[in-house]
Structure formats: C-alpha cells, structure tokens
Amino acid sequence: MKAFTNVTLYGSMVMALVLLSLNVAALKSNRALRELYLSNNNLNSEQDSMQLGDLLRHNSSITTLDLSNNTIANSGLEEICEGLRVQTNGLKVLILWNNQITNNGLVHLAKVLPILKTLETLNLGENNLQNRGIHTLRESLMMNHSLLQLGLEHTHITCEGAVALAEFLAESRHIQRLDVRDNEVRAGGLMALSLALRINHSLTSLDLDHTPKQEQA
C-alpha cells in the first residue's frame, strides 16, 4: 500500500477541528507524511495552535505546513515557534498568509529563525506587520542561513521597511526570492533595494508592483 505523503483538510470548521484533534496524536509518530495543508479551516490561536505546536515538537518529517487564511494570530504563532524550536531538521515551507499576525507576533519568530536549519520558504503575506515587523525580523533574517524565499506581499510596509529589507539583502548569501508587492514602497525604498542588489549575489527574483507607487504630494 502506498503511504500518504500529503494531507489536505478543508470544508466545514467543525469537521476540520475534529479531524485535527483526532489526527495530531497519530501524526506525532508518522514518518511518511511530508505535506500538511490546513488553509481555510478557521484554525484559532488557542487549542488549534497548541496542537500544531505539539505536533512540530514531535514530528520533524513534515516539510510543508500551509496555514493560510486562518486566525493563528500572535499567540498561535508563539505556539508554533515553540514547536519549531526543538526541531533539528524538518520543516522547509511555512505559509502563514492572512492569519492576523502583527509585529508583536514576529517577536517569537525572530527568536527561532536563527536556529532553524531547514526552513527554505516563509510566507507572511496579507498580515499587518508594518515597518516595525520588518525591523523585528531583520537581524534574525541575517542570522538564518537556510531561508531561500520570503513572502511579504501586502504587509503594510513603506520605504522604511524596504530599507530594512535592503540591509538584510546586503548581508544575505542565501536568499533567492523576495516578494514585496502591494506595499507602500516608493522611490526611496526602491533605491535602497536596488543598491542592495549590487552587493547581493544570491537573489534571483524580486517581486515588485508592476506600476510603482506615486510619491505623496
């Protein structure tokens, strides 16, 4: 019998919660599962996130975790980061798109990023991170040596945040893709990113808006 290598949960909230509760215990010892997709399931920042954090503490075989379009929020991200903290190898892709995460939640991610050895893709798009969030992550991003793709689409950053990202790019020898579309990045931020690219030799894709934002009057 062929082993399952990915699981997708979707549909009603009740079904998703029951499935998650029943399966976490089994998944802790499962070494075949590689991809877990839990988007659009109304997962919350309390019981659901605690279970996910517990799963990550015990399972280092899952390489992809998609939690997009839920309400993990800051406290839920803390639980997930605590689970990631004990992984020596494992998760490569973490998608947190649209989860009501703010700068306060990124404090937990900043603590764990420097010790993650396998994380290659981190998508934080559609969260209200603002410039403060980028400043919170900047040094930790510099200290991480595994991250290849960083998604920051529509995270409410301006030129100030872009400058912080440029500082990260100037130091990074690994990052390959950065997505900053649908933000308020104007000429000053674009110039900072352009200057950083003269130093960075790893980035192969920088996603920007097709039409640059106009300068404010």
Side-chain angles (χ1 to χ4, degrees):
M1 181 180 294
K2 184 178 180 180
F4 287 105
T5 58
N6 66 79
V7 170
T8 302
L9 297 186
Y10 58 91
S12 70
M13 177 178 66
V14 173
M15 178 177 291
L17 295 180
V18 170
L19 286 172
L20 181 63
S21 177
L22 291 176
N23 282 296
V24 162
L27 291 177
K28 286 181 184 179
S29 59
N30 184 293
R31 296 297 175 263
L33 184 69
R34 294 291 181 268
E35 301 174 3
L36 184 57
Y37 297 92
L38 298 171
S39 60
N40 300 291
N41 276 297
N42 292 310
L43 302 182
N44 61 48
S45 61
E46 299 175 353
Q47 293 90 347
D48 300 328
S49 297
M50 289 178 63
Q51 291 189 58
L52 290 169
D54 197 33
L55 172 62
L56 291 172
R57 288 184 184 91
H58 294 88
N59 187 311
S60 59
S61 297
I62 297 174
T63 59
T64 297
L65 180 58
D66 183 352
L67 299 174
S68 55
N69 299 316
N70 288 295
T71 53
I72 298 299
N74 296 335
S75 57
L77 182 56
E78 180 179 11
E79 294 289 343
I80 290 169
C81 288
E82 286 301 313
L84 289 174
R85 183 183 296 277
V86 301
Q87 288 200 347
T88 54
N89 39 161
L91 202 65
K92 293 183 178 181
V93 178
L94 178 59
I95 302 174
L96 293 166
W97 174 276
N98 189 27
N99 263 285
Q100 300 181 14
I101 295 169
T102 70
N103 168 63
N104 293 331
L106 295 188
V107 172
H108 310 297
L109 188 58
K111 291 178 181 178
V112 75
L113 266 176
I115 63 175
L116 295 180
K117 306 300 182 184
T118 60
L119 187 66
E120 297 178 354
T121 298
L122 176 62
N123 192 330
L124 294 166
E126 201 66 35
N127 289 294
N128 190 23
L129 308 183
Q130 302 184 3
N131 296 328
R132 293 178 300 165
I134 306 305
H135 285 298
T136 298
L137 286 182
R138 181 185 55 185
E139 290 189 11
S140 296
L141 288 170
M142 292 177 181
M143 296 169 66
N144 178 281
H145 300 299
S146 65
L147 194 64
L148 304 178
Q149 301 187 68
L150 177 60
L152 296 169
E153 183 179 354
H154 196 213
T155 50
H156 304 276
I157 63 175
T158 67
C159 289
E160 180 185 339
V163 170
L165 287 171
E167 293 172 354
F168 156 60
L169 287 179
E171 294 290 330
S172 176
R173 299 296 179 268
H174 307 280
I175 191 71
Q176 295 179 3
R177 181 181 181 186
L178 175 63
D179 186 348
V180 290
R181 289 173 295 172
D182 199 16
N183 285 293
E184 293 300 316
V185 178
R186 304 179 191 275
L190 294 175
M191 182 176 296
L193 291 170
S194 176
L195 291 173
L197 291 179
R198 298 182 182 180
I199 303 172
N200 179 285
H201 299 292
S202 64
L203 198 74
T204 60
S205 177
L206 176 59
D207 296 331
L208 301 168
D209 293 330
H210 291 298
T211 303
K213 295 289 192 302
Q214 298 296 316
E215 294 296 320
Q216 294 177 333

